[in-house]
Amino acid sequence: MPDGPDDATLIARSADEPEVFAQLYHRHAAELHRYVARRLGSDLADDVVGETFLVAFRRRERYDARRPLALPWLYGIAANLISGHRRSELRAYRAFARTGADPVARTGGSDADADAVDGKVAAQASGPAIAAALRSLSDGDRHVLLLVAWADLSYQEVAEALGIPLGTVRSRLNRARKKMRAAIPELDPILDEEMHHHG
Amino acid sequence: MDELTKLRDFRADTAALDAEQLDAGARRLTEQIRGTTPARRRTAAGDVLRFAVATGVRRACLAGLTAAAVTAGVLVALPGSGARDEPARTLTIADVLDSAAAHAAAAPAKEPSAHQWLFSREYGCMATCGTQEEWYRYDGNQKAFRDPMAKGVRVLVNDFGPRVAPAGLCKIVEDAGARPQETRARLAALPTEPRALLEALREDPYFAAVSTKIDKLPASSPAAAFDRVVVLLSLTETAPPRTAAALYRAISYIPGVHLLPRPVKDAAGRPGLAVESTQRAAGHDIRSTLILDPKTYAYRGLRVEGGPWKYSSARLGVAVVDHPGQRPGGPVPPPSSITVRPFTIKDPSC
């Protein structure tokens, strides 16, 4: 947990002092940006994250002050904005699946580039298959799957973020995982028991 | 290995924002929230005219001053005081603050009623610059502002709950500026003899906590004394005239506080007389400047600079109005544009 007041307190205070909202940005923008960049690429992520915080600011009085951590709320706003770039996201998955080259691959020079290339090579084997599978998901299923896998949200947090019941989170996640599993060649497509029960 | 693990490796090399990018993003956000790019000076001056805050030039004050020019004074080129070839006057800090006090003492003493609103419009620069309008209800239970992102008029009213919050309820705003009625009553009870006044401000926990929030200064330091008085002067219509006058006079009794020989521009770019105190805090030399109207010598702005701190604020207008979100002489915002929101935090530790 970051030092200082919790998010709910910051958000409440930002009504008086909008600059306080910048603190919320400092707390969560990096994490949010990385998630959005992973889906849409870094350039679009800049726009989406900026807009996410602006939308959050406009809606700040609707923030549920009982929730000390604002991240799920911010992810929910970002999810809506990401949906607005659906075609762009899907186009990149398709390109990756067809060509084996990821248009959303990390760009820009840094000392870590050499390591990054190694990592990419290792991840590439199943990359196109995963991209194809992600592309085949419905929007709702994709949000749930990626909020769990990439944003590390709990089921409860995903439910809060997307404004859907917990049961829906479970069923969407199971459906999405089933598709992913079937699409990744080196995994055994036979589903485990838990999946059958919830799916 | 399952599909979630595989998926977690997908685009796992996505770069995170670095500190510089984060700072830039936060700055952009603040600017967008404010809905302002730094205002042009012309606009700021226009606002001052429109709000007609100052009660007019107190010629008597100025005339008295000119006559009272003292040998130990500072040669001050008064900004905006008429003809360009007007000779600079010799002023002492005591002269200036005496005139400010005389001016403050002559202000109308009428106290606002509990449900009237203190309107203030300020141009301030912290991370970014912007104009800020606020309305404090005189009883201190509510604060209002206009939603800068709204199309049309949208007034948001923060309700801080009862003055004394019950157990388990934290109040968010607690500073003296947010409680005008209480602050005025407390100020009215203070002695007006300058040294006694400074001592009372230092000893009373209510006032000892008053500061520009730049850094915690030792409460007994001259810098903290200056800071407290400047903040109290910056409040909107809070001190009774007699006390306001005493506050101005008290400044010249704070060790190390001096009058600058040159006008200093406030955040809105208007030159004014500058009274300064320097302090050492957190390993930095910090300069606090009180900027006074060159004609009435009334509070017009403050500046704090030094080390990582850079903060300035210029008062563009203050007034007492009857409705939240109402600008002086402006229309009353319709009830449908007003949203009242509870602003207390439930916390068992309170």
Side-chain angles (χ1 to χ4, degrees), chain B residues 100-122:
Chain B
H103 181 257
K110 192 171 181 295
E111 187 175 0
S113 64
H115 283 206
Q116 279 191 304
W117 296 76
L118 301 185
F119 164 78
S120 72
R121 184 175 163 91
E122 292 204 333

Side-chain angles (χ1 to χ4, degrees), chain A residues 12 15-16 18-19 25-26 34 38 57-58 61 96 102 104 106 120 127 149-150 177 181 186-187, chain B residues 1-3 6-8 10-14 22-23 25-26 33-34 143 145 154 158 173 341 343:
Chain A
D16 285 342
E19 282 79 5
Y25 183 94
H26 271 288
R34 186 158 189 276
R38 220 162 157 181
F57 181 75
R58 285 187 207 122
E61 73 270 25
F96 192 6
D102 187 358
V104 171
R106 175 180 168 165
K120 210 177 291 173
W150 290 352
R177 286 185 68 170
R181 195 171 180 87
E186 61 265 44
L187 291 182
Chain B
M1 183 179 261
D2 70 359
E3 66 283 355
K6 282 273 178 200
L7 187 57
R8 285 195 178 105
F10 185 81
R11 291 179 181 166
D13 60 342
T14 304
L22 271 179
D23 283 344
I33 282 176
R34 282 288 182 210
K143 176 187 183 175
F145 55 97
R154 180 152 184 265
N158 300 346
V173 173
R341 308 169 304 162
F343 256 72

Side-chain angles (χ1 to χ4, degrees), chain A residues 48-69:
Chain A
V48 166
V49 171
E51 186 65 17
T52 297
F53 280 91
L54 265 187
V55 170
F57 181 75
R58 285 187 207 122
R59 295 186 190 161
R60 66 197 179 281
E61 73 270 25
R62 274 177 268 164
Y63 183 75
D64 182 348
R66 288 167 304 182
R67 295 179 189 165
L69 184 67

Side-chain angles (χ1 to χ4, degrees), chain A residues 28-37 45 49 52-53 71 74-76 78:
Chain A
H28 300 308
E31 197 174 337
L32 214 54
H33 189 279
R34 186 158 189 276
Y35 173 79
V36 181
V49 171
T52 297
F53 280 91
L71 206 48
L74 293 169
Y75 271 118

